[in-house]
Amino acid sequence: MAQPRVLILNQPFVDNTGGGITLSNLFANWDRDKLAVACSGYLLTDNMNHTLCNHYYQLGDKERKWIFPFNLLSRKYYSGPIMISDGAENQDKVIVKKSKLRVKMILDYILPVFNYVGLSHFQAKTGVSPELCNWLDSFKPDILYVQSHTREDILFAIELYDYLKIPMVFHMMDDWPTTVGIEGPMKNHWKRKIDKEFRLLLDRANLCLGISDYMAEEYKRRYGKKFVTFHNPINLEFWKKAQRNSYELPTSPTLLYAGRIGLGIDKSLKIIAEAVKEVNNDLKSSIKFIIQSQDAPTWIKNFTNVYHQEFVAYEDLPKVFAQAEVLILPYDFSPESTSFIKYSMPTKASEYMASGTPILIFAPQDTALVQYAEKYSWAEVVTENNIKVLSEKLKDMFLDESRRERVATTAKSIAANRHNSTVVAGEFEKIISTAAEEK
């Protein structure tokens, strides 16, 4: 079966986001000439993987229109085709130098207000421009692959589908529609409206994909649609190059968290810091808790045993993960956080498994992550939001070498048997190719 020409919407091939890493691994076997990406300029950076796909259309000011007065403040992005390569010929078109302060102000202060009053659901609209139509007609896609994270994404995907009239695959990463109706004076209005629009998008899809089995079960009940599970597969040879195989403790062992901070994560990270402090006091030890993230949490200065390090290049992750004595995957326990992450599966879960370092999960019981870990025993699990319980589990892990080795060995086996990119990417190619032939 020949590979179809795939148009990917809303997600570039990058190695610094969960969606980008998952996309790269799922499409790893694809012919580069048969892949193209259309996404907003704010998603494009200077570290996109051109070896997997170098054919992009930047959705800029010809496609994305802001309502007054936001149109007076918004960035002006170039609209049009971009060929991604090692060179700098497109650096005048791709906006990559974004002010960290500006981004932080928007994410921390402006967006929460917009979300609360409902402005974020109609502040901008992306539409199909004549220039985009010409690019689409030139590429001639056989199938549309869509991810969505906002109402704007949903509406644009519907409009693009109606223009192309080709089969569509929809892939859900997080259960973000659930969070729409949590707060704000217009919450019920937007919850009903976005739910209706989301169902219209799903009705157009020939194939629906989810990020976890738990999500697939819930979406079957909620939307009456079959969802097939595909989350992040891994290149085993890539991870084996620095895989941990020894479980003796050094004088100053490390507990590592690598990933984003913020919604659904930050509160638990602080509890972990408190638990490590307690363990060090009780055992007279010097365990270091390292947080590898873009920015350091604001509370980190209050702890002498917590350290921040910036993200490393993706190619260095196997070495960094293998150097830690324990890796931790946390989720917050608040109702708002649980609603957002309940059905999600972290991209780094399979990467952690393949690293050879034992894993500890600190998360609510009713999550896809905990269910998966408990079913296959690839991690130690704490489901109580309690510093004492967490500290006792940490003591058990750091004091018991055989336990660390047993958990790590099981995780490596699960990674090889269930997340091997050679197998999973092949299954993904087959299911996408089959969907492309449907009318």
Side-chain angles (χ1 to χ4, degrees):
M1 185 182 297
Q3 289 180 339
R5 299 173 68 82
V6 184
L7 173 62
I8 298 164
L9 185 61
N10 298 329
Q11 180 59 67
F13 288 87
V14 293
D15 59 13
N16 60 351
T17 69
I21 293 168
T22 300
L23 187 80
S24 299
N25 289 329
L26 288 174
F27 281 100
N29 296 338
W30 229 270
D31 181 348
R32 186 175 72 166
D33 294 336
K34 293 186 176 181
L35 294 177
V37 176
C39 65
S40 296
Y42 68 87
L43 294 174
L44 302 181
T45 68
D46 59 351
N47 65 343
M48 291 181 291
N49 189 334
H50 68 278
T51 62
L52 293 174
C53 177
N54 68 339
H55 194 187
Y56 282 75
Y57 187 96
Q58 180 168 287
L59 302 171
D61 54 12
K62 292 181 180 179
E63 292 79 32
R64 196 166 192 237
K65 308 296 182 182
W66 293 77
I67 65 170
F68 179 84
F70 306 112
N71 61 322
L72 303 177
L73 303 172
S74 62
R75 286 180 181 270
K76 299 296 182 182
Y77 282 91
Y78 159 82
S79 289
I82 296 174
M83 297 296 288
I84 305 298
S85 69
D86 282 331
E89 59 268 29
N90 288 303
Q91 295 307 303
D92 60 328
K93 298 177 180 178
V94 182
I95 299 177
V96 296
K97 297 187 182 302
K98 302 177 178 67
S99 166
K100 288 187 176 181
L101 178 60
R102 182 177 186 273
V103 171
K104 183 175 178 59
M105 290 289 291
I106 291 173
L107 293 179
D108 292 350
Y109 300 103
I110 298 177
L111 272 184
V113 174
F114 281 13
N115 289 336
Y116 182 80
V117 300
L119 281 174
S120 59
H121 301 310
F122 66 95
Q123 64 191 8
K125 181 181 185 299
T126 304
V128 178
S129 67
E131 291 81 3
L132 176 59
C133 290
N134 290 335
W135 182 79
L136 294 170
D137 294 343
S138 175
F139 180 64
K140 295 182 175 61
D142 300 307
I143 191 166
L144 177 62
Y145 171 92
V146 175
Q147 293 183 23
S148 73
H149 309 280
T150 64
R151 175 176 182 254
E152 184 181 347
D153 291 344
I154 291 174
L155 297 179
F156 181 56
I158 291 174
E159 183 176 344
L160 191 60
Y161 171 85
D162 290 345
Y163 172 77
L164 290 170
K165 295 179 174 60
I166 58 176
M168 179 173 68
V169 175
F170 177 77
H171 200 168
M172 196 64 163
M173 297 289 155
D174 295 297
D175 189 28
W176 65 267
T178 302
T179 67
V180 172
I182 288 180
E183 58 182 10
M186 298 287 288
K187 62 182 181 181
N188 292 330
H189 166 76
W190 286 115
K191 189 173 185 65
R192 289 192 299 267
K193 188 172 184 62
I194 293 175
D195 179 73
K196 181 180 179 180
E197 292 165 344
F198 186 55
R199 291 173 186 271
L200 291 176
L201 177 61
L202 294 182
D203 286 342
R204 285 165 166 77
N206 297 69
L207 173 65
C208 294
L209 307 178
I211 204 67
S212 71
D213 291 340
Y214 198 16
M215 176 183 280
E217 294 168 6
E218 167 61 16
Y219 277 27
K220 176 64 176 178
R221 183 198 64 78
R222 189 190 304 174
Y223 301 113
K225 301 287 184 180
K226 178 183 177 182
F227 276 72
V228 181
T229 301
F230 276 97
H231 50 86
N232 184 40
I234 50 171
N235 183 326
L236 292 178
E237 296 307 312
F238 172 77
W239 286 94
K240 284 180 179 178
K241 68 182 183 180
Q243 200 172 51
R244 172 181 274 274
N245 293 297
S246 173
Y247 299 94
E248 295 180 3
L249 284 186
T251 304
S252 182
T254 59
L255 173 71
L256 172 68
Y257 167 74
R260 69 174 183 85
I261 59 175
L263 177 64
I265 301 289
D266 195 58
K267 291 179 181 178
S268 283
L269 288 175
K270 189 173 182 180
I271 291 173
I272 294 165
E274 295 281 5
V276 172
K277 180 180 179 181
E278 187 170 301
V279 171
N280 282 333
N281 288 336
D282 291 348
L283 299 182
K284 309 302 180 190
S285 56
S286 55
I287 297 169
K288 295 181 293 186
F289 178 30
I290 298 177
I291 298 174
Q292 181 173 288
S293 60
Q294 183 171 337
D295 299 304
T298 56
W299 47 261
I300 198 171
K301 59 182 178 295
N302 299 324
F303 294 87
T304 58
N305 61 315
V306 184
Y307 304 85
H308 173 260
Q309 64 185 33
E310 294 184 353
F311 286 131
V312 300
Y314 191 78
E315 63 186 24
D316 295 328
L317 280 185
K319 180 181 178 180
V320 171
F321 288 179
Q323 286 175 339
E325 276 62 56
V326 177
L327 298 170
I328 193 159
L329 272 174
Y331 278 154
D332 282 353
F333 288 76
S334 68
E336 297 82 4
S337 298
T338 303
S339 294
F340 181 69
I341 54 85
K342 183 175 182 178
Y343 304 108
S344 301
M345 183 61 62
T347 300
K348 57 184 160 289
S350 52
E351 298 172 344
Y352 271 22
M353 291 182 207
S355 71
T357 299
I359 304 163
L360 172 60
I361 292 172
F362 180 50
Q365 179 70 48
D366 192 22
T367 57
L369 177 63
V370 169
Q371 288 191 9
Y372 188 39
E374 290 185 337
K375 182 176 181 179
Y376 293 99
S377 302
W378 53 266
E380 293 285 334
V381 177
V382 174
T383 58
E384 293 182 60
N385 190 22
N386 185 292
I387 294 174
K388 186 66 177 177
V389 173
L390 179 59
S391 64
E392 289 301 317
K393 178 65 75 172
L394 285 169
K395 287 179 188 178
D396 291 342
M397 291 194 73
F398 279 107
L399 292 174
D400 191 340
E401 181 179 334
S402 62
R403 172 181 289 204
R404 295 196 304 277
E405 183 171 4
R406 182 174 65 253
V407 171
T409 301
T410 301
K412 286 190 290 186
S413 177
I414 295 297
N417 294 330
R418 296 180 59 85
H419 301 283
N420 185 338
S421 60
T422 302
V423 176
V424 176
E427 295 172 348
F428 182 78
E429 179 182 342
K430 182 178 180 180
I431 200 170
I432 296 294
S433 299
T434 300
E437 295 183 347
E438 297 178 7
K439 302 299 181 183

